[in-house]
Amino acid sequence: MKIINTNQNSFKNDFETILQRAKSDIKGVSKIVENIIDEIVQDGNEALKRHIEKFDKWQVKNDDDLLIPQEDMKKAYDNLDLNLKKSLHTAFDRIKNYHEKQLPKSWIDFEDNGTILGQKVTPVDRAGLYIPGGKAAYPSSLLMNAIPALVAKVKEIIVCTPTPNNEVNELLLAACYLCKVSKVYKVGGASAIAAMAYGTKTIPKVDVITGPGNIFVATAKKMVFGEVNIDMIAGPSEIGVLADETANPRYVAFDLLSQAEHDEMASSILITTDDNLAKSVSVEVSNILKDLSRKDIAQKSIDERGAIIVASNITEAISLMNEIAPEHLEVMTKNPFELLPYIKHAGAIFLGENTPEPIGDYIAGPNHTLPTGSTAKFYSPLNVENFLKKSSIISFSKNAINELGEACALLADTEGLEAHAKSVRVRLENK
Amino acid sequence: MKIINTNQNSFKNDFETILQRAKSDIKGVSKIVENIIDEIVQDGNEALKRHIEKFDKWQVKNDDDLLIPQEDMKKAYDNLDLNLKKSLHTAFDRIKNYHEKQLPKSWIDFEDNGTILGQKVTPVDRAGLYIPGGKAAYPSSLLMNAIPALVAKVKEIIVCTPTPNNEVNELLLAACYLCKVSKVYKVGGASAIAAMAYGTKTIPKVDVITGPGNIFVATAKKMVFGEVNIDMIAGPSEIGVLADETANPRYVAFDLLSQAEHDEMASSILITTDDNLAKSVSVEVSNILKDLSRKDIAQKSIDERGAIIVASNITEAISLMNEIAPEHLEVMTKNPFELLPYIKHAGAIFLGENTPEPIGDYIAGPNHTLPTGSTAKFYSPLNVENFLKKSSIISFSKNAINELGEACALLADTEGLEAHAKSVRVRLENK
């Protein structure tokens, strides 16, 4: 891995390149995606069938073929290897437990003049989860998307997932059973997003669409935003590691590679205050890479998008990391908790050497759907609130409107909204 | 106003028309907006100057002209009429007080095996507020957008507002002073959204853009979503009133008209269980309309987008209202609080006859930036969380990874992610 030093002349340029990391080229595919969405809006199921035949290479004979039979989910769950079932349950329980802590409550508050103000929290009626299929079918993504919806008490959770050659991922189905998913449809890509946003004869219109996907899926999600809500627009995966001389170079190397193996576009960045650690990690990465099954992907990611930065001190290191705002941030320093107040922007923060990033992908509890490409500066991890919305509650008493009505009407006057002012003043006449 | 009855044969069609109410034609203007954004990205300030000359009809001589001098804000505040200043302060205090109740706290939680999980809440670094100018300059919108950002402790709040003929709204400036806005730029429309999303020499790139605007502004917000976060995509204003025989027809009529006067595209819908109330409200609306200063707008809105629906019972009335999911919902029934559990979808709920909708526009405390066009089914009112984001916190102890590591690695195995599994197992070697 290339090692760069913050006191090199070229550093500013090098760092700029790191910040400009892989952005999804939404503009490049937007015309294609727009056409796909238009087709679904116009032709519904018939368009879905055409797209499945084209992309997933199997023939849908009738509308019912789009839906995976309910009993297949239970069967997949019943047939699970016992060890795997146990692990899935552990993950399910821990993820559920964490997300329950996020659940906001409706609240109400009172004033002495009789005013009542509050906020009512309500789940959306129907959530649509997009879960990639085929080679990139990640059952863990199903847990991470369905459980927050389940905790939010969404009445109906549906899933769309592509099934190349009509083959379904059994572990994904088992996870759907565990998460009480209502319906699973064998539909993928931008077509699935359009179907859930606008509805077809078979697939119902949803209120919120969440879940990962390729550039076509991400672009479709952006395009239907407003028609439905979406979680975020995510790009390639990333890890940032903040480490001092106490870090174990082998651990750091494995963790960097656990992101690199995802995707050639993934980026893995170590920022350290220790020159020696930088060198040892670089050597370890090369050694471990040789034997990895996904070596080609990981090698390309490390070569083209990986970097080790040596900073003058921990303050500089943190400040650079805040600029990167990584999806995953590991802190392997002497006392990682001390640094927490200074870490401003990161999707998930992993503290200490016993917290490798994959722990957060599967089993820790927090969500693994996280903002990428510096969007941790404004997006949150997927969470229960993505499946809820709020309504303000306002109730004024006669006393309250008598006390505050004229101030309100005066502001309406200033904005030239006469009926606004009058609708208040008409209530003051009888005071 | 036209009165329709749920037991008429034509009702289903009539109601469908109501549901299909004014949608913003984002597709129709998207090419124009895309070009505006591209221009700003390429030419920065120079493009801004061209657009101001074209749309706001004044000439920007140098970059500094884009910025309203700091002292002008204080001057505007100092020069305010005393009564108006008092009203502005009352509104400010009440809005601030309500939004402080929304502020989420960072939290942390512990397990017996040494695991620490939590959620860190951080404000975004910089927020950009778009506030319409000229005739539609609403200082109340500044309060409603700036105060949640202020409560969220956003370090830098900037404002963009168009100034047709280089004229600035003084009350808007005074409100900016009160809300500690850092900078106000005389830039409007899609250009302003692009400038805040990408940054120019004068206008800094922000993390979140909120605020109302016309179809060009709404479309630009949708297009820059992902580059920055945005609040929502809003359309024309709406009110739904749910009333029984106890409601005062004059109050209902004024409240319907307070939405209708906003915009010809605004919609005002009364759903009542009482035939007599339907008739009296219809008469009152006609009477009040005659004398309104914004009569032409209100009349057109009422004629084309207003309706009174007579329902068979309150259950049916609520169910129809939930389908409409109105931006503003007034409940004027015998005991409005009893209905609250059944109301699922509404931006803000106004309970009882002393709570006219304009109370919520100016002075009650909750935000007046609310989801429109049925998007209350999935969007929340603008709130403090729009200016915050969260980071998950995960810390595993040696005990914790020993206990949970193998389950985690097994799930990684199943997904074919070898480096993920290894990065966990390498920590188990030394247990």
Side-chain angles (χ1 to χ4, degrees):
Chain A
M1 275 181 95
K2 56 176 167 284
I3 300 177
I4 56 181
N5 201 302
T6 57
N7 52 32
Q8 281 162 358
N9 283 334
S10 60
F11 178 73
K12 222 185 140 188
N13 277 337
D14 291 343
F15 190 66
E16 208 46 55
T17 311
I18 290 171
L19 286 180
Q20 294 307 320
R21 65 195 180 284
K23 284 210 176 168
S24 307
D25 180 24
I26 284 190
K27 233 173 167 178
V29 303
S30 63
K31 194 67 213 164
I32 301 169
V33 173
E34 202 181 325
N35 288 339
I36 292 176
I37 295 174
D38 286 348
E39 264 193 77
I40 302 292
V41 170
Q42 265 172 17
D43 295 350
N45 278 0
E46 296 314 309
L48 287 180
K49 290 176 192 170
R50 287 198 300 271
H51 297 170
I52 289 171
E53 198 161 337
K54 186 170 166 194
F55 297 112
D56 291 341
K57 314 284 179 202
W58 61 280
Q59 225 194 336
V60 186
K61 290 197 186 106
N62 53 58
D63 290 347
D64 291 349
D65 291 352
L66 295 171
L67 180 68
I68 292 180
Q70 205 70 17
E71 58 266 30
D72 289 11
M73 289 196 247
K74 183 165 187 328
K75 218 183 293 168
Y77 174 81
D78 289 341
N79 291 340
L80 266 193
D81 162 83
L82 267 189
N83 249 335
L84 193 55
K85 192 184 269 185
K86 221 176 121 187
S87 300
L88 197 68
H89 269 275
T90 304
F92 178 89
D93 290 344
R94 293 189 59 88
I95 297 166
K96 186 155 173 276
N97 190 39
Y98 180 87
H99 286 80
E100 276 167 355
K101 296 193 177 109
Q102 291 179 332
L103 197 63
K105 282 197 168 63
S106 296
W107 57 264
I108 202 160
D109 207 38
F110 311 98
E111 296 176 30
D112 287 344
N113 64 9
T115 302
I116 303 175
L117 298 179
Q119 190 171 269
K120 182 176 194 264
V121 181
T122 325
V124 301
D125 285 336
R126 192 184 284 132
L129 318 182
Y130 184 80
I131 308 293
K135 277 185 221 162
Y138 293 141
S140 59
S141 293
L142 189 276
L143 297 185
M144 292 294 184
N145 281 270
I147 294 172
L150 204 60
V151 170
K153 298 203 169 62
V154 175
K155 252 179 279 166
E156 194 180 343
I157 304 171
I158 69 165
V159 166
C160 280
T161 186
T163 55
N165 306 309
N166 204 7
E167 279 162 24
V168 183
N169 182 303
E170 293 294 317
L171 184 55
L172 178 61
L173 277 197
C176 285
Y177 177 78
L178 190 58
C179 292
K180 300 193 174 72
V181 167
S182 309
K183 298 265 165 66
V184 185
Y185 300 96
K186 299 195 230 176
V187 179
S191 325
I193 304 300
M196 291 194 281
Y198 294 95
T200 74
K201 199 181 146 200
T202 301
I203 300 181
K205 177 176 167 49
V206 304
D207 301 297
V208 175
I209 296 176
T210 70
N214 61 19
I215 177 72
F216 295 94
V217 169
T219 305
K221 281 170 71 180
K222 177 169 172 169
M223 284 185 175
V224 302
F225 177 67
E227 187 67 33
V228 298
N229 204 354
I230 65 168
D231 50 347
M232 65 184 90
I233 302 168
S237 196
E238 322 154 345
I239 190 169
V241 179
L242 205 58
D244 63 13
E245 71 288 353
T246 65
N248 178 329
R250 206 155 166 242
Y251 290 1
V252 174
F254 268 113
D255 299 356
L256 292 171
L257 286 166
S258 74
Q259 286 313 293
E261 75 169 343
H262 266 300
D263 187 350
E264 290 170 359
M265 309 255 281
S267 75
S268 309
I269 311 286
L270 164 64
I271 306 183
T272 179
T273 47
D274 186 41
D275 213 34
N276 288 327
L277 183 81
K279 284 172 203 149
S280 334
V281 169
S282 182
V283 172
E284 288 282 359
V285 165
S286 303
N287 287 339
I288 299 167
L289 251 174
K290 284 180 208 147
D291 299 325
L292 276 189
S293 55
R294 298 167 72 95
K295 180 168 117 182
D296 293 347
I297 295 173
Q299 180 82 59
K300 197 159 180 223
S301 160
I302 289 288
D303 289 349
E304 292 180 8
R305 312 211 177 259
I308 297 175
I309 298 173
V310 181
S312 320
N313 53 56
I314 195 71
T315 308
E316 186 188 45
I318 294 174
S319 151
L320 293 171
M321 202 53 102
N322 278 334
E323 278 195 69
I324 293 177
E327 181 189 13
H328 306 99
L329 171 60
E330 288 188 359
V331 186
M332 286 196 256
T333 57
K334 209 172 169 190
N335 187 349
F337 274 89
E338 281 183 0
L339 304 184
L340 213 38
Y342 309 106
I343 295 166
K344 301 287 181 201
H345 311 304
I349 307 167
F350 299 79
L351 299 166
E353 66 169 17
N354 294 306
T355 322
E357 184 277 333
I359 281 290
D361 283 342
Y362 296 105
I363 212 129
N367 213 285
H368 79 194
T369 310
L370 299 165
T372 61
S374 294
T375 61
K377 290 188 173 179
F378 48 80
Y379 284 144
S380 301
L382 184 68
N383 64 82
V384 172
E385 305 242 6
N386 289 98
F387 300 96
L388 299 169
K389 43 30 179 226
K390 291 158 186 170
S391 305
S392 310
I393 299 170
I394 310 176
S395 171
F396 264 38
S397 63
K398 193 81 201 153
N399 280 341
I401 195 158
N402 281 341
E403 186 186 305
L404 294 161
E406 193 44 42
C408 177
L410 185 62
L411 289 165
D413 288 343
T414 323
E415 294 188 354
L417 294 173
E418 188 192 359
H420 280 64
K422 280 191 169 166
S423 89
V424 175
R425 289 198 179 107
V426 70
R427 268 105 167 165
L428 303 179
E429 281 167 14
N430 319 321
K431 77 173 161 182
Chain B
M1 275 181 95
K2 57 177 166 284
I3 301 177
I4 56 181
N5 201 302
T6 56
N7 52 31
Q8 282 162 356
N9 283 334
S10 59
F11 178 72
K12 222 185 138 187
N13 278 337
D14 291 343
F15 190 65
E16 208 46 53
T17 311
I18 290 172
L19 286 180
Q20 295 308 321
R21 63 197 182 283
K23 283 210 177 169
S24 308
D25 180 25
I26 283 191
K27 234 173 165 174
V29 302
S30 63
K31 195 68 215 161
I32 300 169
V33 173
E34 202 181 327
N35 289 340
I36 292 176
I37 295 175
D38 287 348
E39 265 193 76
I40 302 293
V41 170
Q42 265 171 18
D43 295 351
N45 278 359
E46 297 314 309
L48 287 179
K49 289 176 193 170
R50 288 198 300 272
H51 298 170
I52 289 170
E53 199 161 337
K54 186 169 166 193
F55 298 111
D56 291 342
K57 315 283 178 205
W58 61 280
Q59 225 194 335
V60 186
K61 290 198 185 108
N62 53 57
D63 291 345
D64 290 349
D65 290 352
L66 295 171
L67 180 68
I68 293 179
Q70 205 70 18
E71 59 266 30
D72 288 12
M73 290 195 247
K74 184 168 188 325
K75 219 183 293 168
Y77 174 81
D78 289 341
N79 290 342
L80 267 193
D81 163 83
L82 267 190
N83 250 334
L84 195 53
K85 191 184 271 187
K86 222 176 119 188
S87 299
L88 197 67
H89 270 274
T90 304
F92 178 89
D93 292 342
R94 294 189 57 88
I95 297 166
K96 186 155 173 278
N97 190 39
Y98 180 86
H99 287 80
E100 276 166 355
K101 297 193 177 110
Q102 293 179 329
L103 197 61
K105 281 198 167 66
S106 297
W107 56 264
I108 202 160
D109 206 37
F110 311 99
E111 297 175 29
D112 288 344
N113 64 9
T115 303
I116 302 174
L117 298 180
Q119 191 172 269
K120 182 175 194 265
V121 181
T122 326
V124 301
D125 285 337
R126 193 184 284 133
L129 317 182
Y130 184 81
I131 308 294
K135 276 184 219 161
Y138 293 141
S140 60
S141 292
L142 190 277
L143 298 185
M144 291 294 183
N145 280 269
I147 294 172
L150 204 60
V151 170
K153 298 200 169 61
V154 175
K155 253 179 278 167
E156 194 180 344
I157 303 171
I158 70 165
V159 166
C160 279
T161 186
T163 55
N165 305 310
N166 204 5
E167 279 162 23
V168 183
N169 181 304
E170 292 294 317
L171 184 55
L172 178 60
L173 277 196
C176 285
Y177 177 78
L178 189 59
C179 293
K180 301 191 173 72
V181 167
S182 309
K183 299 266 165 65
V184 185
Y185 300 96
K186 299 195 228 174
V187 179
S191 324
I193 303 300
M196 292 194 281
Y198 295 95
T200 74
K201 199 181 144 201
T202 300
I203 300 181
K205 176 177 170 46
V206 304
D207 300 298
V208 176
I209 298 175
T210 70
N214 61 18
I215 176 72
F216 295 94
V217 169
T219 305
K221 280 171 72 180
K222 177 168 172 170
M223 284 185 177
V224 302
F225 177 66
E227 188 67 34
V228 298
N229 205 354
I230 66 168
D231 51 346
M232 66 184 91
I233 302 167
S237 196
E238 321 153 347
I239 189 169
V241 179
L242 204 58
D244 64 13
E245 72 287 353
T246 65
N248 179 330
R250 209 159 162 239
Y251 290 1
V252 175
F254 268 114
D255 299 355
L256 293 171
L257 286 165
S258 74
Q259 287 313 294
E261 77 170 341
H262 266 300
D263 187 349
E264 291 170 359
M265 308 255 280
S267 74
S268 309
I269 311 287
L270 164 64
I271 306 183
T272 178
T273 46
D274 187 42
D275 212 36
N276 288 327
L277 183 82
K279 285 173 204 148
S280 335
V281 169
S282 182
V283 172
E284 288 281 359
V285 165
S286 303
N287 286 340
I288 300 167
L289 253 173
K290 284 180 210 146
D291 299 325
L292 277 189
S293 55
R294 297 168 71 96
K295 180 168 115 181
D296 293 347
I297 294 174
Q299 180 82 59
K300 196 159 180 221
S301 159
I302 290 288
D303 289 348
E304 292 180 9
R305 314 210 176 258
I308 298 176
I309 299 173
V310 181
S312 321
N313 53 56
I314 195 71
T315 308
E316 185 187 47
I318 295 175
S319 152
L320 293 170
M321 202 53 102
N322 278 332
E323 277 194 69
I324 293 176
E327 181 189 13
H328 306 98
L329 170 61
E330 288 188 0
V331 186
M332 286 196 257
T333 57
K334 209 171 170 193
N335 187 349
F337 274 89
E338 281 182 359
L339 304 184
L340 211 39
Y342 309 107
I343 295 166
K344 301 289 181 200
H345 311 303
I349 307 166
F350 299 79
L351 299 166
E353 67 169 17
N354 295 306
T355 321
E357 185 277 333
I359 280 290
D361 283 342
Y362 295 105
I363 211 127
N367 213 285
H368 79 194
T369 310
L370 299 166
T372 61
S374 294
T375 62
K377 290 187 174 181
F378 49 80
Y379 285 145
S380 300
L382 184 69
N383 63 84
V384 172
E385 305 243 8
N386 290 98
F387 300 96
L388 299 169
K389 43 36 180 223
K390 292 158 186 169
S391 305
S392 311
I393 298 170
I394 310 176
S395 172
F396 264 39
S397 63
K398 194 81 199 151
N399 280 341
I401 194 160
N402 282 341
E403 187 186 305
L404 294 161
E406 193 42 44
C408 176
L410 185 62
L411 289 166
D413 288 342
T414 323
E415 294 188 354
L417 295 173
E418 188 192 359
H420 281 64
K422 280 190 168 167
S423 90
V424 174
R425 290 200 177 106
V426 69
R427 268 105 166 165
L428 302 180
E429 281 167 15
N430 320 319
K431 77 172 161 184

Short mmCIF file of all heavy atoms in Angstrom, two decimals, chain A residues 53 81 114 146 154 167 200-202 245 258 290 310 318 343 363 369:
data_model
loop_
_atom_site.label_atom_id
_atom_site.label_comp_id
_atom_site.label_asym_id
_atom_site.label_seq_id
_atom_site.Cartn_x
_atom_site.Cartn_y
_atom_site.Cartn_z
N GLU A 53 -36.99 -11.31 -18.02
CA GLU A 53 -36.51 -12.16 -19.11
C GLU A 53 -35.16 -11.66 -19.62
O GLU A 53 -34.24 -12.44 -19.88
CB GLU A 53 -37.54 -12.17 -20.24
CG GLU A 53 -37.35 -13.34 -21.17
CD GLU A 53 -38.62 -13.63 -21.98
OE1 GLU A 53 -39.72 -13.24 -21.55
OE2 GLU A 53 -38.49 -14.24 -23.06
N ASP A 81 -29.19 -25.14 8.26
CA ASP A 81 -28.19 -25.79 9.10
C ASP A 81 -28.31 -25.21 10.52
O ASP A 81 -28.48 -24.00 10.70
CB ASP A 81 -26.81 -25.49 8.50
CG ASP A 81 -25.68 -25.71 9.49
OD1 ASP A 81 -25.25 -26.86 9.62
OD2 ASP A 81 -25.25 -24.72 10.12
N GLY A 114 -53.49 26.63 28.99
CA GLY A 114 -54.35 25.63 28.37
C GLY A 114 -53.85 25.10 27.04
O GLY A 114 -54.50 24.26 26.42
N ALA A 146 -34.96 -5.10 7.40
CA ALA A 146 -36.29 -5.50 7.87
C ALA A 146 -36.48 -5.22 9.36
O ALA A 146 -37.57 -4.83 9.79
CB ALA A 146 -36.54 -6.98 7.57
N VAL A 154 -44.15 -1.37 11.38
CA VAL A 154 -44.72 -1.24 10.04
C VAL A 154 -45.60 -2.46 9.79
O VAL A 154 -45.17 -3.59 10.00
CB VAL A 154 -43.60 -1.17 8.98
CG1 VAL A 154 -44.18 -1.16 7.57
CG2 VAL A 154 -42.73 0.06 9.21
N GLU A 167 -33.23 -18.61 -9.63
CA GLU A 167 -32.71 -19.27 -8.43
C GLU A 167 -32.78 -18.33 -7.23
O GLU A 167 -32.32 -17.20 -7.29
CB GLU A 167 -31.25 -19.71 -8.65
CG GLU A 167 -31.15 -21.02 -9.41
CD GLU A 167 -29.77 -21.21 -10.00
OE1 GLU A 167 -28.80 -20.63 -9.48
OE2 GLU A 167 -29.66 -21.95 -11.02
N THR A 200 -47.80 -1.98 -9.13
CA THR A 200 -48.28 -2.66 -10.35
C THR A 200 -49.44 -3.54 -9.89
O THR A 200 -49.79 -3.55 -8.72
CB THR A 200 -47.19 -3.56 -10.98
OG1 THR A 200 -47.03 -4.75 -10.18
CG2 THR A 200 -45.85 -2.86 -11.11
N LYS A 201 -50.01 -4.30 -10.81
CA LYS A 201 -51.13 -5.18 -10.46
C LYS A 201 -50.74 -6.12 -9.32
O LYS A 201 -51.54 -6.41 -8.43
CB LYS A 201 -51.54 -5.99 -11.70
CG LYS A 201 -52.94 -6.59 -11.61
CD LYS A 201 -53.24 -7.40 -12.87
CE LYS A 201 -54.12 -8.59 -12.50
NZ LYS A 201 -54.07 -9.65 -13.52
N THR A 202 -49.49 -6.58 -9.33
CA THR A 202 -49.06 -7.56 -8.33
C THR A 202 -48.32 -6.93 -7.15
O THR A 202 -48.51 -7.32 -6.00
CB THR A 202 -48.14 -8.61 -9.01
OG1 THR A 202 -48.89 -9.24 -10.05
CG2 THR A 202 -47.66 -9.64 -8.01
N GLU A 245 0.73 3.91 17.81
CA GLU A 245 1.77 2.88 17.88
C GLU A 245 1.33 1.64 18.64
O GLU A 245 1.97 0.60 18.58
CB GLU A 245 3.06 3.47 18.48
CG GLU A 245 3.01 3.79 19.98
CD GLU A 245 2.16 5.00 20.34
OE1 GLU A 245 1.69 5.71 19.42
OE2 GLU A 245 1.93 5.24 21.55
N SER A 258 -10.93 -6.30 4.63
CA SER A 258 -12.33 -6.73 4.70
C SER A 258 -13.22 -5.73 3.95
O SER A 258 -14.30 -6.08 3.48
CB SER A 258 -12.79 -6.90 6.15
OG SER A 258 -12.99 -5.65 6.76
N LYS A 290 -2.18 -12.29 -0.75
CA LYS A 290 -1.79 -13.43 -1.59
C LYS A 290 -2.77 -14.60 -1.52
O LYS A 290 -3.03 -15.26 -2.52
CB LYS A 290 -0.40 -13.94 -1.16
CG LYS A 290 0.74 -13.04 -1.63
CD LYS A 290 2.08 -13.61 -1.16
CE LYS A 290 3.11 -12.50 -0.98
NZ LYS A 290 4.05 -12.78 0.11
N VAL A 310 0.53 9.07 7.10
CA VAL A 310 1.21 9.28 8.37
C VAL A 310 1.03 10.74 8.78
O VAL A 310 1.45 11.65 8.05
CB VAL A 310 2.70 8.92 8.28
CG1 VAL A 310 3.38 9.13 9.64
CG2 VAL A 310 2.87 7.47 7.82
N ILE A 318 -7.17 13.05 13.32
CA ILE A 318 -8.64 13.09 13.48
C ILE A 318 -9.25 14.10 12.52
O ILE A 318 -10.29 13.87 11.91
CB ILE A 318 -9.03 13.44 14.94
CG1 ILE A 318 -8.59 12.30 15.87
CG2 ILE A 318 -10.53 13.67 15.06
CD1 ILE A 318 -8.80 12.60 17.33
N ILE A 343 -14.48 13.08 17.16
CA ILE A 343 -14.88 12.44 15.91
C ILE A 343 -16.26 12.97 15.53
O ILE A 343 -17.24 12.74 16.23
CB ILE A 343 -14.90 10.91 16.05
CG1 ILE A 343 -13.47 10.42 16.30
CG2 ILE A 343 -15.50 10.25 14.82
CD1 ILE A 343 -13.39 8.99 16.78
N ILE A 363 -23.30 -8.75 13.55
CA ILE A 363 -23.75 -9.27 14.84
C ILE A 363 -23.81 -8.27 15.99
O ILE A 363 -24.49 -8.51 16.98
CB ILE A 363 -22.86 -10.48 15.21
CG1 ILE A 363 -23.66 -11.50 16.02
CG2 ILE A 363 -21.59 -10.05 15.96
CD1 ILE A 363 -23.56 -12.88 15.50
N THR A 369 -26.17 -0.60 7.20
CA THR A 369 -26.45 0.29 6.07
C THR A 369 -26.05 1.70 6.49
O THR A 369 -26.70 2.32 7.32
CB THR A 369 -27.96 0.26 5.73
OG1 THR A 369 -28.38 -1.09 5.62
CG2 THR A 369 -28.22 1.01 4.44
#
